[in-house]
């Protein structure tokens, strides 16, 4: 592939409204409860963050450390899965007591039951980029229901490259903040069909060029319906939001 050739397949389409960490504006983020609530609010796709335990089991969690969202302490990757299974992930949500820290396997099963597409963001601890992507691919390549939309994303190109080696059929998205000037070369280098960028910084000009190149374009984290409408009008394929119900109600069907 030369420096400007994008991988075949075109954009990997999820949905115009993707629930960011589940319906994380109303429920504890990245929990089964937040995913069920997203589906109840009408979302057809979710985004989650995934890293691995000390014994290489994928868990759904945003931070490298456990303190902000759970009753645990220290780095997630320093605990075995059996210890992580005992944690509560309902911190700060007194009305959601009992939510656990979910294994990825439980989320896959829930997506299957609720018919939800998935953007799995690989969120490796520093130094565990390849091991994390490998553990996730080993599990998902055998269990993901192929009829449901699926795309990996990551800020870590090492993780994306490993995902490409381990499960080449799965689509990948490069995650960035501001769109870099060399976005096309970067997508080409890492064989990514999608670009996921910060919604607050995207210009209409960049959006137009990216969509015209047949790249899937999704923006995070967009909770303002006015901004969501602007982005979708520029050709953006979808937005990640903490409030899927609110955005779905405000956008044209
Ligand atoms: O995947 C979009 C978005 O989730 C990336 O940032 O920090 O919310 O995982 P973050
Ligand atoms: Mg994320």
């Amino acid at each position: 592939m030369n420096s400007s050739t994008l991988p075949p397949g075109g954009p990997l389409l999820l949905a115009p409204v993707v629930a960011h960490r589940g319906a994380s504006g109303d429920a504890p983020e990245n929990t089964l409860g937040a995913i069920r609530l997203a589906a109840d609010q009408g979302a057809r796709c979710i985004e989650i963050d995934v890293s691995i335990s000390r014994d290489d089991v994928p868990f759904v969690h945003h931070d490298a450390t456990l303190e902000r969202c759970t009753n645990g302490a220290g780095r997630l990757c320093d605990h075995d899965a059996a210890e992580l299974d005992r944690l509560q992930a309902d911190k700060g949500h007194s009305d959601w007591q009992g939510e656990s820290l979910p294994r990825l396997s439980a989320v896959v099963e829930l997506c299957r039951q609720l018919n939800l597409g998935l953007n799995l963001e690989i969120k490796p601890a520093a130094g565990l980029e390849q091991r994390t992507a490998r553990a996730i691919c080993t599990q998902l390549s055998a269990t993901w229901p192929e009829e449901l939309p699926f795309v990996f994303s990551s800020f870590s190109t090492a993780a994306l490259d490993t995902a490409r080696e381990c499960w080449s059929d799965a689509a990948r998205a490069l995650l960035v903040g501001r769109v870099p000037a060399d976005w096309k070369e970067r997508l080409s280098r890492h064989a990514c069909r999608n670009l996921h960028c910060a919604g607050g910084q995207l210009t209409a000009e960049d959006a137009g060029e990216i969509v015209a190149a047949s790249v899937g374009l999704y923006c995070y984290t967009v909770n303002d319906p006015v901004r969501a409408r602007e982005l979708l009008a520029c050709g953006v394929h979808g937005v990640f939001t903490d409030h899927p119900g609110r955005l779905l109600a405000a956008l044209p069907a």
Side-chain angles (χ1 to χ4, degrees), residues 52-72:
I52 52 168
S53 60
R54 183 164 51 197
D55 48 352
D56 284 3
V57 176
F59 275 82
V60 180
H61 191 61
H62 179 274
D63 297 1
T65 51
L66 294 162
E67 281 83 349
R68 183 176 64 85
C69 297
T70 80
N71 59 348

Side-chain angles (χ1 to χ4, degrees), residues 155-173:
F155 290 106
S156 162
T157 53
L160 289 172
D161 290 346
T162 301
R164 182 185 182 188
E165 285 164 26
C166 296
W167 188 20
S168 58
D169 288 348
R172 289 166 304 278

Side-chain angles (χ1 to χ4, degrees), residues 3 10-11 63 67 78 103 107 120 135 158 166 201 244:
S3 64
D63 297 1
E67 281 83 349
D78 289 337
R103 291 185 179 214
V107 170
L120 188 157
C166 296
Q201 301 167 359

Side-chain angles (χ1 to χ4, degrees), residues 20-21 47-49 62 121 123:
H20 182 241
R21 313 181 195 172
E47 184 263 3
I48 56 168
D49 309 289
H62 179 274
E121 181 185 342
K123 205 71 141 176

